[in-house]
Each structure stands twice: as C-alpha cells, then as structure tokens.
Amino acid sequence: MHPVRKQRLIFVVFVVVFATVAIGLMVFALRENMNLFYPPSKIAAGEAPVDKSIRAGGCVMPGTVKRSGENLDVNFLITDGSADVKVFYSGILPDLFAEGEAVVVNGKLSESGDFNATEVLAKHDENYMPPEVADAMAAAGNAGDGAQHQKTCEVISYDS
Amino acid sequence: MDWTWFHRLGSPRWFYEKSSVWLPYLWVLTASLLIAGSVWGLAFSPADAKQGNSYRIIYIHVPAAFLALAGYYVMAISGAVGLIWRIKVAELTMRAAAPIGAVLTFVSLFTGAVWGKPTWGTWWVWDARITSMLILFFLYLGVMALHNAFTHEETANKASAILALVGTVNIPIIYKSVDWWFTLHQPATIKFTSESTIDPSMLYPLLIMVIGFYALYALALILRTRVEILKRERRTKWVKALALGSA
C-alpha cells in the first residue's frame, strides 16, 4: 500500500477507535440515566427517589388488578419477579394493558412505597404469533425465553 | 493481487455505464419483492394474538429501521474509502447515501410513533432505543449539512466522511440499546444467534420485505450516485456527449 494511503488508513482507524472509546466511556458513565424506568426491585431497595417524577416498569401481577365501581380508579401490583410495587392510577388504560403483561408507569413514589401514576403505558414483548398459536401455547403452558436485560413476563414466577 | 477491478470501479464513467445495465433488473427485483412482501404481509399473514392488525406496520417499520442502520455503514465505509484512496465514486456514494438514510430513519421513527400510539399508548417516549434512533437521524442530516457548508469539494468530502465515521459508534448502541437498558421498546424479534420469536407465517413476508428494502436501498443508492456523477462530471466530454445524444 502506498505510504500516504497507509497514513490515511491509520488516521481513519484512529478516528473510529477514538470516537468509540470516548463515547463508549460516556455511555458507560451515564448507564444508569439511560434507563427509562426503575424495576420494582430497585424501588423496594430504596434506589428510586421519593416524590419525584419517575417511571417504574414491570409485569402486572395476575389477580391484583382492582377497578373501582364508580370511576376510572384502578390499582394493581407490578413485579419483576423479586419485588413488587403497588400502583394507583385514575384514567383510561391502553388496549394492551392486561394481567401478566408488562407496563411502564409514569408518576411519583410516595413515602409509603406506593406508586401514584399519572400515565400508564403498555410495554409489549417481542413475540408475535397468530391467535391459534397463542391459544395452543397457553394450553401447553409453554413460554418464550427472555432477553438478557428485559425478561418477558411469561418467564416470571408470580408465586413469590 | 490484481487490483484493476477496484480502480475501474472507481471510475465514474465506468460505474455510470455499467449501472445502466444493472438498473432494469434491479427495478424488477425491487418491485416484485416489495409487492409480494406487502401483499403477503398485509393481506394474507394472520393477525397477532395480542395486537390484532396493528402489528402489520412491522412490515414497513422493521425493514426501514434495518436499512437505516445498514445504510449508515454504507455511508461511513464509502466515506472511509474516499478518504483513504481518494476514489471519486466512493465520495459520491457517501453523498448519495446520506439523504436515503435520513429518509429511512424518518420512516422508521414515524411508523414507530404511529405504531406506539395504539399499542403502548403514546406517540413518543424518550427511551434509549428511540432517542438513539433520533440521534441517527440528526447524524444523517449533519453529514448532509456539513457537506453543503463547504464550497471546496475536497474539504467537504473529508469533513463529512470524518463525521460519518465518528457517528458509526451510534449503530451498535442503537442495536443493543434494548438489551443494555430498560426501555419501552421491546427487545429484538429477529435474532441472529437464536430462534426468532415470531411465527413463521408472519416471519416469511417480513424477510421478503427486508430483502425488498435492501434491493430498494441499492436501487436508490445507484440512482442517486448516477445523478451525483453527472453533476460532478458535467464538464467532461462523455457527459456532454451523453446529454447531446439523449436530447
């Protein structure tokens, strides 16, 4: 290779490596701030700030959704398998909201450890299947495997 | 090793003439893949168990997002090749790739917002995946703006190629964002290392659409590169002859 071209190649490699290391370190330093929400285990461990606008995310524990008879008030437990947080909300829930599905709630954590949500977002998983297949899988008690960081709600055991 | 093919590829005239031969085939391939994929995906594949028919936006959203990421590497690598070997066609390809990538990124952001409203309950959320995708959009616009900011073409090529190269850091961040952090966006469905978590009846049309978008990308890139070639070589004999011949 021509020495001038070789020099330019080294320059290009240097730019890419330098930028990767610099931005990589920045992202690593900010890694906690990159999370959109706190999982219930971090809230239970006291890592989430109280009375500040934050988001919490987890799976809606089956059998815990309680709706008020007169108004839109609803409360339910969200869990990540190791801890759970009680969420209070008043409003219309998204279509995909269901027991055993993931949600991200926006609101404030109270002193008592309950979460007062102003917004509830449904977080759908990465599985797509026709209704017949879903029924068959539910009948067989089969569940998909989760990603490294974000477990799908099927793999969580709700017994704890 | 014989490098003549590499240098010939670098000649704008050779590229222009050769690509005239490729284009008709590429048009047919792109059109048939996109028509087959969208008809299959929109009309014949089953509805999703949870999302119903709204999941069908996946057939635009995912291929557009794939190509927005892959297209960035096309742009950055052409920029690097232009920077190192001063190959004209590579410099022109980098220029041509920026607006195509910007459009694809916009399409994936827009379809994502439209999809997010009925499923998540919101158009937009500042999670890691969506924010890093927005940064990708700005990177594409930045490369275009930086190139236009210089009157001297060589400086413009150099500066925008370096910006494109620095921006490559963002691509693995976008790709892994859903695994590294808690996001509202779900993790990847089509996996390269393990089985994809989508039913085959929905996966096949999606794969056809992905290949179709690759073909569409190649087509758009070649068409735009040809325009850039004509603009840059407008004073040469062969372009003048071409213009007079077709007029």
Side-chain angles (χ1 to χ4, degrees):
Chain A
M1 199 187 257
H2 195 278
V4 178
R5 285 176 193 156
K6 196 167 183 176
Q7 207 179 359
R8 291 196 207 119
L9 177 67
I10 292 167
F11 170 73
V12 165
V13 171
F14 175 78
V15 165
V16 173
V17 169
F18 184 77
T20 308
V21 170
I23 295 172
L25 285 173
M26 228 162 75
V27 168
F28 184 72
L30 292 170
R31 65 195 179 282
E32 283 304 313
N33 302 334
M34 300 264 181
N35 287 324
L36 182 74
F37 56 83
Y38 290 94
S41 53
K42 283 202 171 173
I43 293 175
E47 286 180 42
V50 172
D51 216 30
K52 266 193 177 168
S53 190
I54 57 165
R55 289 195 192 87
C59 302
V60 180
M61 201 185 279
T64 63
V65 180
K66 291 188 184 69
R67 289 169 207 267
S68 153
E70 297 110 56
N71 49 31
L72 290 172
D73 285 359
V74 60
N75 67 76
F76 51 87
L77 285 179
I78 59 171
T79 180
D80 58 1
S82 48
D84 44 59
V85 170
K86 194 163 197 176
V87 178
F88 292 87
Y89 177 66
S90 179
I92 295 166
L93 294 163
D95 290 352
L96 283 189
F97 179 92
E99 298 187 344
E101 296 292 332
V103 288
V104 172
V105 292
N106 202 342
K108 284 176 182 168
L109 192 64
S110 72
E111 288 287 353
S112 57
D114 292 335
F115 198 94
N116 296 308
T118 52
E119 188 183 30
V120 174
L121 303 175
K123 174 174 154 57
H124 69 78
D125 58 27
E126 71 275 29
N127 305 315
Y128 300 89
M129 60 189 87
E132 313 87 75
V133 179
D135 294 343
M137 275 178 74
N142 199 350
D145 57 340
Q148 299 153 354
H149 202 87
Q150 311 195 48
K151 283 188 281 185
T152 54
C153 288
E154 278 98 4
V155 297
I156 288 181
S157 79
Y158 295 101
D159 311 323
S160 57
Chain B
M1 196 179 157
D2 185 20
W3 284 91
T4 44
W5 64 271
F6 191 63
H7 292 284
R8 210 159 14 151
L9 195 69
S11 147
R13 185 181 176 177
W14 185 88
F15 181 86
Y16 190 89
E17 282 164 1
K18 273 290 162 198
S19 60
S20 309
V21 183
W22 305 334
L23 277 175
Y25 299 103
L26 201 51
W27 270 110
V28 174
L29 180 75
T30 309
S32 36
L33 282 171
L34 289 183
I35 291 169
S38 40
V39 169
W40 189 354
L42 298 182
F44 293 101
S45 69
D48 181 59
K50 284 174 197 156
Q51 297 184 43
N53 281 319
S54 69
Y55 95 96
R56 291 183 201 277
I57 207 160
I58 199 174
Y59 294 112
I60 306 290
H61 179 74
V62 167
F66 268 32
L67 266 296
L69 301 195
Y72 196 90
Y73 280 126
V74 171
M75 181 176 80
I77 291 169
S78 331
V81 170
L83 210 59
I84 298 165
W85 286 279
R86 294 287 142 83
I87 291 172
K88 272 192 214 166
V89 172
E91 291 170 355
L92 297 172
T93 314
M94 183 198 69
R95 261 207 101 168
I100 305 171
V103 167
L104 285 167
T105 313
F106 180 79
V107 166
S108 58
L109 283 171
F110 180 80
T111 52
V114 171
W115 195 1
K117 187 62 188 167
T119 48
W120 298 340
T122 183
W123 299 99
W124 188 267
V125 65
W126 292 99
D127 82 350
R129 169 56 71 82
I130 303 170
T131 310
S132 56
M133 203 65 187
L134 186 68
I135 292 172
L136 180 73
F137 183 58
F138 291 147
L139 274 171
Y140 275 124
L141 295 187
V143 168
M144 286 159 69
L146 193 62
H147 201 285
N148 288 329
F150 292 97
T151 40
H152 188 53
E153 201 175 325
E154 207 184 302
T155 327
N157 284 332
K158 234 190 232 174
S160 45
I162 290 172
L163 176 62
L165 283 167
V166 170
T168 51
V169 189
N170 195 28
I171 305 299
I173 293 179
I174 297 175
Y175 182 67
K176 293 303 282 180
S177 57
V178 286
D179 298 326
W180 287 345
W181 300 295
F182 292 115
T183 55
L184 185 60
H185 194 287
Q186 72 282 8
T189 292
I190 300 179
K191 300 178 187 77
F192 299 104
T193 48
S194 59
E195 207 182 331
S196 296
T197 50
I198 177 167
D199 196 75
S201 58
M202 300 155 152
L203 177 65
Y204 295 135
L206 182 57
L207 290 180
I208 292 176
M209 284 303 275
V210 169
I211 301 166
F213 264 69
Y214 268 96
L216 179 68
Y217 183 86
L219 183 66
L221 188 67
I222 290 174
L223 286 175
R224 278 200 60 88
T225 307
R226 284 160 63 88
V227 173
E228 296 288 341
I229 287 172
L230 292 184
K231 268 204 280 190
R232 171 142 169 187
E233 306 277 291
R234 61 189 178 276
R235 293 199 183 81
T236 59
K237 262 188 215 152
W238 71 271
V239 174
K240 278 181 187 161
L242 194 78
L244 290 173
S246 62

